[in-house]
Amino acid sequence: LGPLKLGMLEGVDDKIVITAGEWSEETLASTEGDEIPVMVPEVMLYTMGVQVGDVLTAQRPGGDPVTLRVAALWRAENENDPAWILTPKYFDAVILLPPDVFWRTVENIDNPVEEAAWYLIFDGSSVKTADVGRLLNNITDGQRNITAALPGIRLDQSPVDGLNAFNREVSALTQQLILMILPVGGLVLYFVSLIAGLLVTRQQQEDVTLRSRGMSRRAIVGLHFLMWLILAGTAFGVAILASPYIVQLVGQTTSFLRFDGVGETLTIVFTPQALGIGAATGLIAASSGLLLAWRTSNQTITSFKRASARASKAWWQRLYLDMLLLIPATYVLYTLWQRGGIRAQADNPFSDPLTFLGPTIFSLGLVLLFLRLWPVIMRIASGIINYTNSIALLMALRELTRSIGRYRGTLLMMGFTLSLMGFTASMASTLDRSLADSVSYRIGADAVIVTAVDAQTEQGETTEDGQQTINVTGFNILPPDDLLTIPGVEQVSRVGRFPARLVLPGQRLEGTALGVDRAAIAAVTRSRADYAPEPYADLFNRLAGNRTGVILSLKTAETYNLRINQEVQLQISALSEWYTTTVPIVGFTDYFPTLNPNNGFFVITNIDPIFELAGTPLPHDYWLSLTPDADLDLIRQRARELGFPVIELRDPEAELLEAMASPSRRGVLGFLSVGFVASVVLTLVSAIVQTTAAFRAQATQLGSLRAMGLGGLSVGIYLILLQGMAAASGILSGTSIGVATTLLFLPLLDFSDGLPPYLVRVAWSDITLVYAIFAGILFFVTLLTTIVMSRERLTTIVKLGDA
């Protein structure tokens, strides 16, 4: 077999997998004669043909030869596990012996140990995110001290790289979460400013009266400061109590507005940074009320009445913030369109901030532009209605035109929340389906069994150093029909992947040949209608009439002008040789699971002609179609009992759940979901509060109209039209802006990373549900206030002097 080494390996029993044979105390005790039981790496099966039960002779330097018997084959469970201080590939040329046997074997050899290594793993379970920076500094200091004490010492293994990578991941995730939460945070702060405006307005008359009677401005602001400090402190305390439950809810997120995840419970840690951010947020929210109070305290009764009588534009309209937002948002859209969009992994879709920030700015800019144009539209409509006899409708339109400030805040929150919800729900729906499609495309079937193979070998030539080489001449393969006897398995297809060349006039293409069982593959493989120009069942039926035919990738056929029934020369690599055959093209397909049309050509054909070409069965996988109640653990166990050396059982559902549980995906979608729920609640509360405030402001007017003879029915129709038009404007604007943002941006955000083809799915069901909730609550509020306000009578006029 060549120059190999004897060795022993302790302390990694939980890091290795026995793929064939047994390695236990009972096995070692059953040694016969002078044969020493050994364990060899699984790679020797494929490179040298070594199998369980083989007897090897090892020549010891300066000693007698020893006889070894292969008791087991092994491989690393995870080659990237940092517990492997020496990479598992280091042991590819090492024959492992039990420790006591190893020392007896080398006891009479001078300097028998060529290399030895030991290591100690430090438990880092108590290290938190906030401790990483300090730990890195301590490691650096410790390394300097050790280097000073032991000059020339070498550092081979250290957690520094892993901790730095962790810091980078945490930093990236933090930035993503900040970007995701900014729109919701802006809505929350805007809601606070609306409520603060209502509170300050209610006290404004009293403040200006006190100011006119000699109370200092500082004293008035001080009263407001104490009030807002109490409110902010109370909110901060409530936030500390509620935030652990919100974080747990985020941890259970599986998709947008889906909190059905199961898994490890998150550990909640209050860090000084988190508490500082919470306190700063509370102070920022309270500052809106203090700012309004500061402006009010500078007014007298005369200036207050003059300002109240004069309507003014919102501050963002005076700054033309809507135009300033649309300019960069439109540029982002143009940039995405120019470079063909963004291609991201489905399990980490928000690594590029443009995937969410661009559409968010675009939606906000359109909502602000709508609010700028809305009074103009209402004014034009009132001018038209002025020539009709619809008094209630005319009153409602003029009220909306004159008192736009009363409804502007609610319309802004409603339009932006609904537009953001429409885009986010559609993005999440597209993301979920793209992730599921990507996993299914990567695996190919309901389950895939990867097996080791039993190699057929023969002695080859003798090398210059006297070593006898071993050549692999074939493989012993079990029939796939045996797997159909396992409960839960409906269909089985052998699938073999082989390097291939397509020989065309003047050129040779490198690619892949996929051998399948054409009768079962269409029922086994996971597919979509857009993968091929025709259904897979019809496509693979063509291989029945011509068993040596091939199905070629459509991209290759279009590039090199290949046609159906055209014969091409195909070369397939097997057993270190290239086999050439001439095959006809029987069909085309754009995509097929596990195959990438961008990485050279691919052909799909019957697997048996490939075996016949090589003269022996070749290693391949087994793709399974399962019943809904199939038990994968049972299938793995029964397959091994049937003699299949199962190395791996690939399960798309398990891989999908693992991908959906990634911290970045859960964090982003969890924050979006929780933030959206908060936005919806605050928007509804804002609508209720501002509706009540608007009706209170009209109480005197409505009472006067009732006293003048306007009927209660007319007042009710007026109120329903007024609130209905305001609510309908917010809902329709949010809907149209959300759909426009989705249709413009979402096709440019490819979450499938190119495979399989990216499809946009608009979440109409979620959008319809939220809009129905919105409409139902607003209708209830409008109906209730209409009943109350339509009963305003002359008593309202009588109370005018009370103020």
Side-chain angles (χ1 to χ4, degrees):
L1 301 182
L4 301 177
K5 300 177 182 179
L6 300 182
M8 64 177 184
L9 183 62
E10 294 182 288
V12 292
D13 294 342
D14 57 337
K15 306 296 181 183
I16 66 175
V17 177
I18 305 298
T19 58
E22 294 184 8
W23 189 253
S24 61
E25 294 182 0
E26 293 77 8
T27 304
L28 302 180
S30 62
T31 304
E32 298 180 0
D34 296 331
E35 294 180 353
I36 300 175
V38 297
M39 182 167 60
V40 300
E42 184 186 52
V43 68
M44 287 189 180
L45 170 67
Y46 306 110
T47 59
M48 303 177 183
V50 177
Q51 305 178 56
V52 173
D54 286 351
V55 177
L56 313 176
T57 300
Q59 180 64 46
R60 294 181 294 181
D64 299 330
V66 293
T67 303
L68 312 176
R69 179 177 55 81
V70 180
L73 303 179
W74 72 278
R75 64 176 175 86
E77 185 176 30
N78 179 12
E79 292 188 358
N80 298 319
D81 192 330
W84 288 99
I85 189 170
L86 295 175
T87 174
K89 292 186 179 298
Y90 172 83
F91 298 96
D92 287 351
V94 177
I95 298 176
L96 299 179
L97 283 68
D100 55 341
V101 178
F102 171 79
W103 290 117
R104 290 200 307 267
T105 304
V106 301
E107 62 183 353
N108 295 324
I109 302 175
D110 295 334
N111 300 320
V113 178
E114 180 183 59
E115 185 171 1
W118 64 270
Y119 61 96
L120 183 67
I121 298 178
F122 292 89
D123 182 12
S125 59
S126 62
V127 177
K128 304 302 179 185
T129 304
D131 302 327
V132 172
R134 180 166 50 88
L135 180 58
L136 286 171
N137 292 332
N138 291 342
I139 291 174
T140 302
D141 294 339
Q143 185 177 348
R144 290 172 181 170
N145 295 335
I146 294 175
T147 303
L150 298 173
I153 194 170
R154 184 184 68 187
L155 179 66
D156 280 346
Q157 191 80 1
S158 170
V160 170
D161 292 339
L163 291 175
N164 284 326
F166 173 77
N167 266 347
R168 289 192 294 269
E169 291 181 7
V170 170
S171 177
L173 180 57
T174 302
Q175 293 175 7
Q176 292 176 21
L177 295 183
I178 289 175
L179 290 176
M180 296 301 112
I181 209 66
L182 275 179
V184 176
L187 283 174
V188 172
L189 293 178
Y190 189 73
F191 171 80
V192 173
S193 66
L194 290 179
I195 302 301
L198 293 176
L199 292 176
V200 174
T201 300
R202 291 189 63 180
Q203 294 181 269
Q204 200 168 15
Q205 178 74 31
E206 182 179 345
D207 289 343
V208 297
T209 302
L210 293 175
R211 182 83 173 90
S212 300
R213 293 178 179 177
M215 192 173 188
S216 67
R217 187 179 186 186
R218 179 178 299 179
I220 295 176
V221 175
L223 292 175
H224 283 275
F225 175 79
L226 290 176
M227 179 187 71
W228 283 104
L229 186 62
I230 294 173
L231 289 175
T234 304
F236 182 63
V238 172
I240 291 178
L241 296 176
S243 58
Y245 300 99
I246 295 177
V247 173
Q248 295 290 358
L249 196 63
V250 170
Q252 296 175 357
T253 303
T254 56
S255 183
F256 184 62
L257 296 180
R258 282 174 51 191
F259 307 101
D260 54 355
V262 293
E264 184 180 356
T265 302
L266 298 179
T267 302
I268 310 300
V269 178
F270 286 101
T271 63
Q273 181 186 15
L275 296 176
I277 292 175
T281 304
L283 293 177
I284 293 173
S287 64
S288 60
L290 291 176
L291 179 61
L292 292 174
W294 174 262
R295 293 174 55 187
T296 301
S297 63
N298 195 35
Q299 292 180 334
T300 62
I301 294 180
T302 302
S303 61
F304 166 66
K305 291 182 178 180
R306 189 182 301 116
S308 301
R310 183 175 62 251
S312 61
K313 293 183 178 180
W315 63 269
W316 53 265
Q317 289 180 333
R318 295 194 296 270
L319 295 177
Y320 290 92
L321 184 62
D322 46 354
M323 303 299 179
L324 296 178
L325 290 177
L326 284 175
I327 291 174
T330 305
Y331 177 74
V332 169
L333 180 62
Y334 174 76
T335 303
L336 291 176
W337 179 76
Q338 282 291 101
R339 70 184 193 183
I342 295 177
R343 180 168 291 182
Q345 295 286 348
D347 52 354
N348 188 20
F350 304 106
S351 55
D352 193 326
L354 291 181
T355 57
F356 187 75
L357 192 58
T360 300
I361 296 176
F362 186 76
S363 296
L364 180 58
L366 287 181
V367 171
L368 296 181
L369 180 62
F370 163 75
L371 292 179
R372 181 184 292 276
L373 300 177
W374 191 59
V376 179
I377 298 174
M378 294 295 102
R379 193 176 297 113
I380 295 174
S382 64
I384 298 174
I385 299 300
N386 190 37
Y387 295 98
T388 66
N389 295 325
S390 180
I391 302 300
L393 181 58
L394 180 62
M395 290 173 56
L397 289 172
R398 288 187 173 178
E399 170 63 19
L400 293 175
T401 304
R402 290 193 304 263
S403 306
I404 179 61
R406 296 175 183 171
Y407 305 95
R408 185 187 294 123
T410 299
L411 287 175
L412 173 58
M413 293 189 65
M414 191 181 302
F416 185 51
T417 298
L418 293 181
S419 64
L420 199 61
M421 181 270 169
F423 173 76
T424 304
S426 299
M427 180 178 64
S429 175
T430 301
L431 179 61
D432 289 344
R433 292 291 299 276
S434 295
L435 181 59
D437 290 346
S438 297
V439 172
S440 295
Y441 195 89
R442 188 164 60 244
I443 295 178
D446 293 345
V448 174
I449 292 180
V450 181
T451 62
V453 290
D454 183 14
Q456 301 172 2
T457 61
E458 65 179 13
Q459 291 185 353
E461 298 178 355
T462 303
T463 61
E464 295 180 358
D465 56 358
Q467 299 292 333
Q468 188 76 29
T469 60
I470 299 295
N471 297 328
V472 178
T473 60
F475 300 91
N476 299 319
I477 305 295
L478 294 175
D481 291 343
D482 291 353
L483 295 173
L484 293 174
T485 62
I486 301 176
V489 177
E490 286 188 330
Q491 294 281 351
V492 178
S493 174
R494 297 169 296 171
V495 177
R497 183 184 304 269
F498 312 100
R501 294 172 181 167
L502 192 62
V503 181
L504 301 177
Q507 56 188 324
R508 186 170 59 187
L509 309 180
E510 300 288 339
T512 301
L514 199 72
V516 300
D517 288 324
R518 69 97 197 153
I521 190 64
V524 168
T525 188
R526 293 189 170 186
S527 63
R528 283 191 336 211
D530 59 329
Y531 285 0
E534 55 186 307
Y536 276 164
D538 297 339
L539 199 60
F540 285 104
N541 278 339
R542 298 183 183 180
L543 294 178
N546 194 332
R547 65 189 301 269
T548 61
V550 297
I551 299 170
L552 182 65
S553 60
L554 184 60
K555 183 177 181 179
T556 303
E558 293 175 346
T559 303
Y560 297 97
N561 197 27
L562 302 177
R563 298 288 181 264
I564 298 290
N565 296 324
Q566 179 178 347
E567 291 189 343
V568 293
Q569 191 176 83
L570 182 67
Q571 296 180 344
I572 296 178
S573 175
L575 300 176
S576 302
E577 295 185 19
W578 286 93
Y579 298 90
T580 303
T581 181
T582 300
V583 295
I585 300 174
V586 299
F588 300 126
T589 181
D590 294 279
Y591 298 91
F592 191 82
T594 72
L595 296 174
N596 187 348
N598 300 316
N599 294 339
F601 80 96
F602 67 79
V603 295
I604 308 170
T605 185
N606 286 306
I607 196 170
D608 288 323
I610 297 179
F611 293 170
E612 295 167 2
L613 191 65
T616 178
L618 298 172
H620 56 268
D621 299 334
Y622 299 91
W623 289 18
L624 310 181
S625 174
L626 306 179
T627 60
D629 59 345
D631 186 345
L632 290 179
D633 292 333
L634 177 62
I635 292 174
R636 181 187 290 106
Q637 177 184 349
R638 293 292 300 274
R640 287 175 174 169
E641 292 174 355
L642 290 172
F644 289 86
V646 179
I647 297 177
E648 181 183 7
L649 179 60
R650 302 194 64 187
D651 176 16
E653 301 303 326
E655 293 196 18
L656 178 61
L657 291 177
E658 182 180 356
M660 295 179 68
S662 66
S664 59
R665 192 178 188 279
R666 282 191 301 166
V668 170
L669 292 178
F671 270 92
L672 283 177
S673 301
V674 172
F676 174 73
V677 172
S679 300
V680 170
V681 173
L682 293 182
T683 300
L684 292 174
V685 172
S686 174
I688 296 172
V689 171
Q690 288 214 332
T691 299
T692 304
F695 283 152
R696 283 184 176 178
Q698 299 179 73
T700 302
Q701 176 186 356
L702 295 177
S704 301
L705 292 175
R706 289 298 310 276
M708 294 169 61
L710 188 66
L713 179 61
S714 298
V715 173
I717 294 175
Y718 159 70
L719 293 175
I720 290 178
L721 288 175
L722 175 64
Q723 192 62 24
M725 284 191 294
S729 299
I731 293 176
L732 291 177
S733 64
T735 304
S736 57
I737 292 173
V739 171
T741 304
T742 299
L743 297 179
L744 288 174
F745 278 88
L746 204 52
L748 301 176
L749 307 178
D750 188 349
F751 296 123
S752 67
D753 197 23
L755 284 178
Y758 175 66
L759 297 179
V760 175
R761 283 95 166 185
V762 179
W764 292 115
S765 58
D766 294 338
I767 295 174
T768 303
L769 176 62
V770 173
Y771 289 174
I773 295 175
F774 249 87
I777 295 178
L778 291 179
F779 175 77
F780 175 76
V781 173
T782 301
L783 184 63
L784 182 62
T785 51
T786 299
I787 295 174
V788 174
M789 299 303 295
S790 63
R791 300 181 62 85
E792 291 289 338
R793 297 181 180 273
L794 190 60
T795 54
T796 304
I797 304 297
V798 176
K799 295 178 182 178
L800 288 178
D802 294 346

